[in-house]
Amino acid sequence: MSKENGVIYRISGPVVTAVGISPRMYEVVRVGDEGLMGEVIELHGDQSVIQVYEETSGIKPGEPVIRTGQTLSVQLGPGLLTQIYDGIQRPLPKLEETMGVFITRGVDADGLDLERKWDFNAVVKKGDEISSGHVIGKVQETETIEHRVMVPPNVSGKVKSIKSGSFNITETVCELDDGTEIAMMQEWPVRHPRPFVQKYAPDVPLITGQRILDFLFPLAKGGTAGIPGPFGSGKTVTQQQLAKWSDAQIVVYIGCGERGNEMTEVLDEFPHLIDPNTNKPLMNRTVMIANTSNMPVAAREASVYTGITIAEYFRDMGYNVALMADSTSRWAEAMREISSRLEEMPGEEGYPAYLSSRLAEFYERAGRVQTLAGSDGSVSVIGAVSPPGGDISEPVSQGTLRIVKVFWGLDAGLARQRHFPAINWLNSYSLYPQALDQWYRDNIAPDFPEVRTEISTLLQIESELQEIVQLVGSDALPVDQQLTLEVARMIREFFLQQNAFHDVDTFSDLDLQYHMAKAILSFQEEAKKAIAGGAQLEDVVNVPARTDLMRGRFEKGYEDRISDLVSEMNKQIDASMEAN
Amino acid sequence: MSGKEYRTITDVKGPLVFLNKTEPVSYGEIVQLMLSDGSIKNGQVLDTSDEQVIVQVFEGTASVDRQTGVKFLGDVFKLPVSKGLIGRILDGAGRPRDGGPDIVADEMADIIGAAINPYSRQSPESFIQTGISAIDACTSLVRGQKLPIFSASGLPHNDIALQIARQAKLVGSDDDFVVVFCAMGITAEEYNFFVHDLERTGALENSALFVNLADDPAVERLITPRLALTAAEYLAFEHDYHVLVIYTDMTNYCESLRQIGAAREEVPGRRGYPGYMYTDLAMLYERAGLVKGKKGSITQFPILTMPGDDITHPIPDLSGYITEGQIVISRELHQKGIYPPINVLPSLSRLMNAGIGDGKTREDHKSVSDQLYAAYAQGRELRGLVAIVGEDALNERDLQLLKFADIFEDQFLRQSRDEDRSISEGTLDLAWKLLSNIDTKYLVRLDQKWIDKYHPTERSSSEEE
Ligand SMILES: Nc1ncnc2c1ncn2[C@@H]1O[C@H](COP(=O)(O)OP(=O)(O)OP(=O)(O)O)[C@@H](O)[C@H]1O
Ligand SMILES: [Mg+2]
């Protein structure tokens, strides 16, 4: 690259215009005397427009702008897991070391520790033909996750030498016949999806342990979901529940323009939480990106790309990865702010016209794929959306709903009633059940899909009955409909409500969910019989064993006791008929 | 730095001044305008290029003309900070307003404030007792939280804020709070009310006030809270104080933000407020918290008045998206003569769980709070039903809940302006007493073990002996 003398021409917030250089689009440049990191986002005559990832106050026109020749990239290799990064992959603990507790500027930090030695175990040998994406060796990165070191992009050939042993991530571990040297670390430009062979249709559920999600509105591994909801309705709690309990092997959690304390909470909690699938701390499988609301907006814009690139990288090793972005609305707002500084023609509500295509491109990076190495990996993406005033007719919600296959609609009314998770069961949906039903039949119960349909039908009927109740009161309904209302209430209070903060209730595995749903249907059936045999509805509803069954879910070992509790309930219901 | 004075103003638009060709001026730099009558105005650079500089003038642009001299002071806005800020009253731009001397600076602090590294934060978890039952029981506040008061015009939010400022304490600790009070566009009358109260209780000596009143320059309001928070950070993180920041009224702040946006001809977001208002507000609210290795803390109580009592208006809406809950003041309760008229149902403290329970407040706190909430919510709902079908149609349980809603408002919410209830004997015991008006079989949110221990009439006899 030729030496060019770029200088700043204009500064307007996070957007700086430079003259005297002709960089490529999305090239990273160094801005000002302090060398702040920025990215070229528009070329305009002899002007290059740059979004700067750090605070720009105090910077003057005339200060230098230097090209780096690189596009915005992340470092990929052992050391990603358990790390917490800002939006441009600077490790926050590193920044604390160099800057103290406040984030100042002008400090660079590698995404990965370049010194640390890892035990590299080669899995190919001299003479093997290898190409991009193939696994050449393994590193035990954390207690639970084996890092599969892959051939970097655009590299292929015959192995000339490869060695196992202790290396840092930039040392050569493998050499090819043509002299190419391969180290454990590779880089990838964040705005480009990583390659794969082909996408498959997802057909395995991502099990989250959250009853309303798994049972009624399931997400598939490799699928996409949107969670819109007004403030305080439970987006973050839901995302954190997924990060904790979903059966993904790797979790990438992006705090995008949200609260600092929420990230602290994750950092405090995860090392102590035990992954039900591995019995090891959850932190072992987690990568966090935290670009909070008060950190620079340009880095917020970049944060989702940084996150999804890391997710794809683990996918390429053959893992099932789940990525949460909280909140995509803040990402969209960052785009809007930068776009308005560029004086672009605004689209709806001031968002740039390309908003919906950016959203689509982002969610398109999800999927279940055949990797270059021939294995099966997936990235599931779950995005929170924060619509102003809770009204989802706005552009970000609409743009998201057009793409995602699962809609978990949070409802202010339910949150106000403290019905948590406040997911509205009437307007939420999932387009995956059909693709997943075979899996449920094979792995949980042959009638799983039918049970689900019965449960959701009952909820539908309830909402219709409720309209009548509003007018005439429930006593005016025939007794069978009153029973339906009781059953639906049981679905809501016993099954759909789930307390994220309760040790036991926070997670239910799919088997238990199925048995709980069956218990409700069993109650319905027995109650019908008893009432037909002359029992009073009130007596049937109030049998003590039903309360025991419902309360039991807060106690450990519930899965072992539930069938006894159901039998006891049924016995008491039968008895209520005789008592009459 | 460059003391050079320019007379190159080309345009003046609202609070903005545009001038041509200067030496390079930095983004965010502080500017002085010398008017022909000898008066001086202050401003800040919003946009800078080789050809044009845009300056936002804090005192407004009245009397500015093309001959006005413009000087760039070579630095971004800084506040002189020292412990001497405590006990002082400053104006909205940080100059003494109490007739006292200038602040002798220990340090000049950049008022924009750097973001706290999320990795360096400490989770807030120390319960603050405000002595107000509605808050302590149902929306418990913890040290380092940002908990706004969502109010509306004509409601007693100021009394509540002051009562909190007077009574706030950590149970079992005598660490005191220092109050940083920030007024943005409030009336002289409201301001006097605050000052008199702080004086009356002796709290003024323990406070730093930053004051921009309704007739002070509107644009200045954009820096006033930044000054206040800069002072708060200095006191908290350099001198280990626990700082309570009260700022009022965020609505006026947002109006000023809208005014600047309009003058810059920006594409407006919802209802004319700038698209970046969320981020701008976050730059204030996120300056609350605790950080590793520092003893002090910043707890924030922003007060905002909801235009048209509308909680979906962008000002409360965007605030709610950033803060850790909200305390909602209700016109209905106020009209019933209840003080403090806090509606606990839409109110929320997101950090409550971390701050309450055994060893912090009391083991039964969470259950009691859930039960109060559920019973009151149901009781209120029944009021609507009774209005249609009459009380006769209610069963025993519903009648009890209906009655509970009334006594909850009358005895639990209602307290006097100087009544300081302790969490255990004052608030939670009172809650039990009121809940005992409902049959225990309907109190499904209360664990049996707490009923056995705390219920005034059902307590196990062993305890009563
Ligand atoms: N599953 C749940 N179980 C128990 N409580 C919950 C649950 N979900 C939400 N809550 C309660 O609701 C509060 C708000 O939830 P959360 O912080 O997730 O809202 P949010 O939608 O992310 O709001 P914002 O948009 O402001 O970030 C929580 O602090 C908690 O008290
Ligand atoms: Mg949230």
Side-chain angles (χ1 to χ4, degrees):
Chain A
M1 186 188 5
S2 64
K3 274 266 170 229
E4 295 170 323
N5 279 329
V7 290
I8 299 177
Y9 165 76
R10 175 182 173 192
I11 304 144
S12 171
V15 173
V16 166
T17 310
V19 292
I21 46 170
S22 31
R24 287 176 297 143
M25 272 300 270
Y26 301 118
E27 182 170 337
V28 172
V29 291
R30 296 282 164 187
V31 176
D33 294 331
E34 292 175 77
L36 308 186
M37 189 168 163
E39 183 185 9
V40 176
I41 51 169
E42 189 179 279
L43 299 173
H44 186 69
D46 60 344
Q47 300 184 346
S48 309
V49 185
I50 300 157
Q51 63 176 357
V52 179
Y53 293 123
E54 297 176 81
E55 173 55 50
T56 51
S57 61
I59 296 176
K60 282 201 213 51
E63 290 187 23
V65 176
I66 296 164
R67 291 183 58 181
T68 65
Q70 307 280 312
T71 48
L72 185 67
S73 301
V74 285
Q75 296 181 338
L76 300 167
L80 288 165
L81 294 172
T82 75
Q83 192 49 272
I84 177 166
Y85 293 113
D86 75 353
I88 48 173
Q89 211 206 7
R90 295 186 303 175
L92 292 173
K94 253 274 137 19
L95 296 189
E96 184 188 76
E97 254 170 56
T98 49
M99 308 172 177
V101 299
F102 290 99
I103 300 182
T104 53
R105 62 185 190 197
V107 177
D108 249 352
D110 283 303
L112 294 174
D113 185 338
L114 305 183
E115 307 296 321
R116 176 163 175 191
K117 300 269 188 186
W118 297 90
D119 262 329
F120 174 80
N121 291 299
V123 297
V124 294
K125 55 185 188 312
K126 183 169 157 50
D128 286 352
E129 286 287 348
I130 56 172
S131 63
S132 177
H134 283 134
V135 177
I136 57 167
K138 297 182 173 175
V139 170
Q140 195 65 39
E141 184 176 352
T142 63
E143 243 182 313
T144 48
I145 301 296
E146 170 191 86
H147 194 107
R148 299 169 189 154
V149 177
M150 293 173 287
V151 179
N154 308 319
V155 171
S156 63
K158 199 184 257 182
V159 177
K160 182 170 156 201
S161 69
I162 183 160
K163 40 194 177 178
S164 295
S166 177
F167 301 98
N168 70 37
I169 56 175
T170 56
E171 283 173 284
T172 303
V173 290
C174 174
E175 198 179 331
L176 303 185
D177 274 351
D178 65 359
T180 309
E181 297 183 346
I182 302 175
M184 282 187 263
M185 180 176 84
Q186 53 175 279
E187 297 194 15
W188 189 265
V190 297
R191 295 184 197 278
H192 291 276
R194 285 175 61 89
F196 50 83
V197 177
Q198 59 171 324
K199 268 195 184 176
Y200 297 124
D203 60 6
V204 176
L206 182 81
I207 298 164
T208 68
Q210 311 305 300
R211 294 186 289 265
I212 185 166
L213 306 186
D214 289 346
F215 207 80
L216 295 184
F217 310 113
L219 175 60
K221 290 198 170 87
T224 51
I227 319 180
F231 68 79
S233 57
K235 297 180 291 296
T236 303
V237 173
T238 306
Q239 296 260 37
Q240 291 187 355
Q241 286 296 92
L242 296 180
K244 287 175 189 167
W245 308 126
S246 67
D247 67 344
Q249 291 154 303
I250 303 287
V251 166
V252 178
Y253 192 95
I254 311 173
C256 175
E258 291 286 315
R259 301 175 184 81
N261 278 333
E262 290 173 347
M263 301 312 294
T264 315
E265 207 175 284
V266 175
L267 281 171
D268 283 353
E269 226 181 328
F270 276 37
H272 306 290
L273 289 174
I274 300 300
D275 180 348
N277 301 301
T278 61
N279 284 320
K280 291 280 160 28
L282 280 169
M283 207 60 196
N284 282 321
R285 64 166 193 185
T286 310
V287 183
M288 278 191 283
I289 318 271
N291 211 96
T292 56
S293 54
N294 56 341
M295 287 161 73
V297 288
R300 187 200 298 172
E301 193 273 336
S303 66
V304 297
Y305 295 103
T306 297
I308 194 121
T309 306
I310 292 172
E312 286 173 341
Y313 174 68
F314 281 102
R315 170 204 70 190
D316 292 345
M317 294 180 206
Y319 286 121
N320 292 311
V321 184
L323 175 141
M324 293 97 209
D326 183 15
S327 158
T328 60
S329 293
R330 308 303 168 214
W331 168 44
E333 283 165 15
M335 282 190 244
R336 174 168 70 184
E337 178 166 353
I338 288 154
S339 159
S340 89
R341 302 269 184 183
L342 296 178
E343 288 157 18
E344 290 174 340
M345 180 67 106
E348 225 182 319
E349 291 191 21
Y351 286 104
Y354 46 79
L355 171 72
S356 58
S357 62
R358 291 277 164 89
L359 286 168
E361 282 161 21
F362 169 65
Y363 283 103
E364 263 310 290
R365 292 176 73 170
R368 197 182 132 220
V369 305
Q370 181 188 357
T371 67
L372 296 182
S375 52
D376 194 334
S378 70
V379 174
S380 313
V381 173
I382 302 114
V385 185
S386 315
D391 175 1
I392 62 164
S393 64
E394 55 89 41
V396 185
S397 303
Q398 288 304 310
T400 305
L401 292 183
R402 273 199 297 274
I403 316 156
V404 298
K405 299 271 192 316
V406 177
F407 167 58
W408 292 324
L410 290 166
D411 187 302
L414 290 173
R416 215 168 304 123
Q417 292 162 35
R418 302 287 202 261
H419 172 109
F420 289 121
I423 293 169
N424 183 324
W425 52 89
L426 296 173
N427 69 8
S428 297
Y429 60 78
S430 163
L431 301 181
Y432 292 114
Q434 287 206 338
L436 303 176
D437 277 352
Q438 197 54 49
W439 188 94
Y440 295 124
R441 289 189 204 281
D442 295 346
N443 292 278
I444 306 295
D447 65 343
F448 188 100
E450 288 71 31
V451 173
R452 176 183 57 226
T453 308
E454 278 191 70
I455 296 286
S456 51
T457 307
L458 279 162
L459 290 167
Q460 290 294 338
I461 297 175
E462 180 198 31
S463 87
E464 287 156 24
L465 289 179
Q466 284 296 359
E467 284 175 25
I468 305 173
V469 171
Q470 297 297 319
L471 298 175
V472 299
S474 61
D475 287 351
L477 294 181
V479 67
D480 62 323
Q481 294 189 342
Q482 290 188 34
L483 173 64
T484 305
L485 287 179
E486 283 299 335
V487 175
R489 193 225 290 261
M490 187 169 176
I491 299 174
R492 284 187 282 114
E493 294 182 358
F494 167 63
F495 191 79
L496 300 184
Q497 283 192 18
Q498 189 171 2
N499 185 350
F501 303 108
H502 191 281
D503 294 350
V504 177
D505 198 32
T506 185
F507 172 85
S508 296
D509 71 25
L510 210 44
D511 267 320
L512 177 61
Q513 295 184 24
Y514 170 76
H515 286 114
M516 288 172 74
K518 285 289 267 194
I520 296 168
L521 297 179
S522 171
F523 165 71
Q524 181 184 32
E525 201 175 314
E526 291 302 315
K528 258 189 201 153
K529 269 194 255 162
I531 290 166
Q536 294 295 309
L537 174 65
E538 189 166 333
D539 295 338
V540 170
V541 169
N542 287 329
V543 297
R546 193 174 76 115
T547 313
D548 295 342
L549 168 72
M550 290 172 63
R551 285 223 170 135
R553 75 177 199 274
F554 293 108
E555 277 150 37
K556 285 211 176 76
Y558 185 52
E559 55 280 10
D560 305 327
R561 293 179 21 248
I562 185 164
S563 61
D564 290 347
L565 290 166
V566 172
S567 320
E568 182 57 31
M569 172 181 74
N570 293 348
K571 217 184 286 166
Q572 292 186 5
I573 292 174
D574 269 359
S576 73
M577 176 163 53
E578 280 138 35
N580 239 277
Chain B
M1 253 196 56
S2 70
K4 201 161 156 191
E5 192 173 318
Y6 297 89
R7 288 179 195 278
T8 54
I9 293 181
T10 56
D11 297 18
V12 179
K13 209 183 316 172
L16 302 183
V17 163
F18 299 69
L19 60 156
N20 274 349
K21 290 221 170 59
T22 58
E23 314 265 291
V25 168
S26 42
Y27 178 71
E29 191 168 333
I30 289 302
V31 181
Q32 267 185 357
L33 280 74
M34 265 73 57
L35 276 67
S36 45
D37 64 0
S39 65
I40 289 184
K41 287 177 188 272
N42 300 290
Q44 189 177 14
V45 174
L46 281 191
D47 195 319
T48 170
S49 72
D50 286 353
E51 266 121 55
Q52 188 185 52
V53 176
I54 306 176
V55 175
Q56 137 187 334
V57 182
F58 298 134
E59 290 89 346
T61 47
S63 315
V64 172
D65 57 17
R66 292 197 173 80
Q67 275 64 54
T68 299
V70 180
K71 228 185 211 170
F72 296 95
L73 303 186
D75 205 351
V76 295
F77 207 123
K78 292 196 167 154
L79 176 74
V81 286
S82 79
K83 271 171 96 161
L85 282 165
I86 299 175
R88 296 298 304 273
I89 304 179
L90 307 175
D91 71 8
R95 293 165 297 226
R97 190 193 156 99
D98 52 7
D102 285 347
I103 302 292
V104 182
D106 271 348
E107 209 178 280
M108 295 298 290
D110 182 346
I111 69 161
I112 299 301
I116 298 176
N117 185 332
Y119 178 76
S120 310
R121 283 181 182 267
Q122 242 182 301
S123 289
E125 56 186 20
S126 314
F127 173 74
I128 297 176
Q129 177 180 303
T130 67
I132 296 174
S133 291
I135 297 175
D136 289 352
C138 302
T139 55
S140 317
L141 170 70
V142 298
R143 202 148 72 174
Q145 185 169 13
K146 40 192 179 290
L147 190 61
I149 298 180
F150 283 10
S151 188
S153 49
L155 298 179
H157 41 265
N158 291 339
D159 300 65
I160 297 172
L162 276 167
Q163 190 169 358
I164 293 169
R166 277 196 309 272
Q167 299 181 172
K169 58 175 145 317
L170 278 190
V171 189
S173 141
D174 41 28
D175 286 353
D176 246 347
F177 284 97
V178 168
V179 174
V180 170
F181 175 77
C182 169
M184 295 168 285
I186 62 173
T187 62
E189 196 185 324
E190 282 177 288
Y191 166 67
N192 288 333
F193 175 76
F194 269 102
V195 172
H196 286 154
D197 194 86
L198 293 170
E199 243 169 4
R200 177 174 69 85
T201 57
L204 198 56
E205 288 161 37
N206 238 348
S207 310
L209 278 61
F210 293 83
V211 183
N212 167 288
L213 296 185
D215 56 356
D216 288 331
V219 178
E220 189 181 86
R221 271 162 223 164
L222 295 177
I223 56 168
T224 314
R226 295 188 159 79
L227 299 172
L229 289 164
T230 303
E233 275 168 3
Y234 175 78
L235 294 172
F237 301 136
E238 301 298 326
H239 290 288
D240 298 343
Y241 284 102
H242 295 294
V243 184
L244 199 63
V245 183
I246 298 176
Y247 36 131
T248 180
D249 177 337
M250 284 309 290
T251 305
N252 296 330
Y253 173 86
C254 294
E255 294 310 330
S256 296
L257 209 58
R258 176 158 72 171
Q259 197 186 335
I260 293 287
R264 294 190 68 181
E265 294 172 0
E266 291 165 350
V267 183
R270 264 209 324 153
R271 302 209 201 171
Y273 294 93
Y276 48 78
M277 191 155 92
Y278 171 85
T279 301
D280 189 278
L281 289 173
M283 305 277 277
L284 303 178
Y285 296 144
E286 279 287 317
R287 291 172 83 173
L290 304 167
V291 298
K292 280 190 221 153
K294 310 261 183 192
K295 288 210 193 93
S297 64
I298 299 179
T299 307
Q300 290 191 17
F301 263 111
I303 298 173
L304 59 88
T305 48
M306 299 184 278
D309 291 14
D310 176 10
I311 200 167
T312 68
H313 183 282
I315 298 171
D317 189 52
L318 294 178
S319 296
Y321 270 124
I322 306 163
T323 55
E324 288 146 346
Q326 65 280 338
I327 293 172
V328 181
I329 313 287
S330 144
R331 193 173 296 283
E332 180 208 327
L333 290 172
H334 179 63
Q335 279 163 352
K336 279 189 181 173
I338 290 165
Y339 174 88
I342 295 171
N343 185 355
V344 298
L345 301 182
S347 299
L348 171 73
S349 164
R350 304 193 193 198
L351 303 182
M352 174 165 174
N353 285 335
I356 66 169
D358 198 16
K360 291 175 170 164
T361 53
R362 213 169 75 182
E363 53 193 0
D364 58 326
H365 189 153
K366 175 87 177 100
S367 293
V368 170
S369 158
D370 288 349
Q371 183 63 67
L372 285 174
Y373 188 96
Y376 179 57
Q378 291 171 39
R380 271 181 70 121
E381 231 176 82
L382 288 165
R383 280 183 191 159
L385 190 65
V386 167
I388 306 170
V389 299
E391 276 197 27
D392 295 345
L394 298 190
N395 59 27
E396 181 56 26
R397 172 176 176 272
D398 290 352
L399 278 172
Q400 290 182 8
L401 288 168
L402 185 69
K403 191 167 143 242
F404 175 78
D406 291 337
I407 56 175
F408 177 79
E409 289 174 0
D410 190 52
Q411 297 181 41
F412 194 77
L413 295 184
R414 189 199 297 280
Q415 64 186 86
S416 69
R417 283 171 171 71
D418 49 20
E419 187 177 353
D420 187 358
R421 295 184 186 157
S422 71
I423 178 67
S424 181
E425 291 80 30
T427 292
L428 294 176
D429 285 355
L430 175 62
W432 278 102
K433 184 175 146 224
L434 303 182
L435 285 169
S436 71
N437 288 291
I438 304 174
D439 264 4
T440 43
K441 68 168 180 273
Y442 303 135
L443 297 177
V444 293
R445 310 260 170 162
L446 290 175
D447 291 353
Q448 191 60 43
K449 56 183 174 202
W450 308 143
I451 293 181
D452 294 342
K453 193 161 171 189
Y454 295 104
H455 194 285
T457 54
E458 309 266 326
R459 248 190 305 234
S460 4
S461 45
S462 64
E463 292 240 342
E464 280 184 15
E465 277 157 23

